[in-house]
């Protein structure tokens, strides 16, 4: 297997989602340069922050038993919280402060760019280890899941930018992403209960439904719709 082909297979679903979100930004496109920088922050800085937090949590909350409670803690308070927080702070302290962030839909755009940067790095590592089968499986599961977490977060962070209650809406966005991320992983982590993985599929379908609805709401509420 060619390493280059494996990397391309890992990046293909990431690129597809980025193109999709960019196309959905109908009324006032974001600068590609800024989107690219945000993607890079997700691919490197977010991964670095996550790694550091994982080390800290592994020391504070070691998971050494396959129990429902420990897998719940791992899914929501370690993986979900750690990964979504590492994305959140980039959107919050880099993207949201930019002048180009000038309508609610931009929250979705930049959250997805950070998330796809994170997902790109993560996916390359998994695919290089597992091959094309892993690339195909994750193209229809993990990568869309990361996108739905981002859209949910970005929906509320886009609202936050233009609200007097910015802190509240930002934190709701972070919490929403953590909940969906945690739920998705929780059902996958409980491998010792046959069939419970269906819960991950159900949470992904719900996340996709809510994401499409969130995209439509911010499209309809664009400040540039009639210009």
């Amino acid at each position: 297997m060619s390493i280059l082909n494996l990397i391309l297979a890992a990046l293909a679903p990431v690129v597809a989602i980025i193109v999709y979100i960019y196309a959905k930004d109908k009324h006032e496109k974001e600068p590609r340069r800024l989107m690219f920088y945000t993607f890079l922050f997700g691919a490197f800085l977010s991964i670095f922050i996550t790694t550091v937090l994982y080390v800290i949590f592994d020391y504070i909350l070691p998971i050494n038993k396959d129990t429902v409670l420990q897998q719940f803690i791992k899914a929501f308070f370690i993986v979900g919280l750690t990964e979504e927080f590492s994305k959140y702070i980039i959107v919050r302290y880099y993207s949201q402060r930019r002048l180009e962030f000038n309508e609610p839909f931009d929250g979705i755009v930049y959250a997805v760019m950070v998330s796809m940067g994170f997902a790109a790095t993560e996916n390359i590592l998994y695919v290089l280890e597992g091959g094309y089968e892993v690339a195909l499986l994750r193209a229809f599961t993990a990568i869309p899941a990361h996108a739905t977490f981002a859209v949910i977060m970005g929906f509320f962070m886009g609202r936050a930018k233009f609200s007097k209650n910015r802190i509240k809406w930002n934190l709701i966005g972070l919490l929403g992403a953590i909940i969906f991320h945690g739920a998705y992983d929780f059902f996958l982590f409980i491998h010792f209960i046959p069939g419970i993985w269906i819960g991950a599929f159900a949470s992904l379908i719900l996340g996709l439904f809510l994401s499409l609805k969130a995209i439509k709401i911010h499209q309809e509420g664009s400040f540039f719709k009639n210009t």
Side-chain angles (χ1 to χ4, degrees), residues 89-106:
I89 60 174
I90 293 172
V91 180
R92 174 65 183 86
Y93 294 105
Y94 177 71
S95 304
Q96 202 179 57
R97 293 183 173 184
R98 309 289 297 193
L99 293 177
E100 295 87 347
F101 194 128
N102 54 10
E103 64 168 330
F105 193 89
D106 295 348

Side-chain angles (χ1 to χ4, degrees), residues 18-88:
I18 290 173
V19 171
Y20 174 80
I21 292 297
Y22 187 73
K24 288 297 180 179
D25 190 11
K26 294 181 177 181
H27 304 296
E28 205 269 338
K29 298 287 189 186
E30 295 311 290
R32 295 180 184 178
R33 170 185 53 82
L34 186 55
M35 292 175 63
F36 180 66
Y37 290 159
T38 307
F39 177 88
L40 290 181
F41 279 135
F44 297 102
L45 180 57
S46 184
I47 289 289
F48 174 76
I49 294 170
T50 295
T51 302
V52 171
L53 292 177
Y54 273 162
V55 171
I56 294 172
F57 273 114
D58 188 53
Y59 178 77
I60 298 174
L61 294 171
I63 302 299
N64 48 33
K65 294 182 180 179
D66 277 340
T67 65
V68 171
L69 177 59
Q70 289 216 356
Q71 297 310 313
F72 179 88
I73 292 171
K74 179 181 178 181
F76 286 92
F77 295 98
I78 299 179
V79 179
L81 173 60
T82 296
E83 293 189 8
E84 296 310 319
F85 177 76
S86 73
K87 302 169 191 175
Y88 167 83

Side-chain angles (χ1 to χ4, degrees), residues 1 4 10 12 19 68 70 89 100 104 118 133 135 142 149 172 182 208:
M1 290 185 291
L4 178 59
V19 171
V68 171
Q70 289 216 356
I89 60 174
E100 295 87 347
F118 183 99
E133 295 82 1
F149 310 151
I172 288 175
L208 288 171

Side-chain angles (χ1 to χ4, degrees), residues 158-174:
R159 175 176 289 184
K161 174 68 180 281
F162 307 98
S163 170
K164 294 180 180 179
N165 298 312
R166 181 176 294 188
I167 294 176
K168 182 186 79 171
W169 291 116
N170 275 333
L171 292 180
I172 288 175
L174 173 60

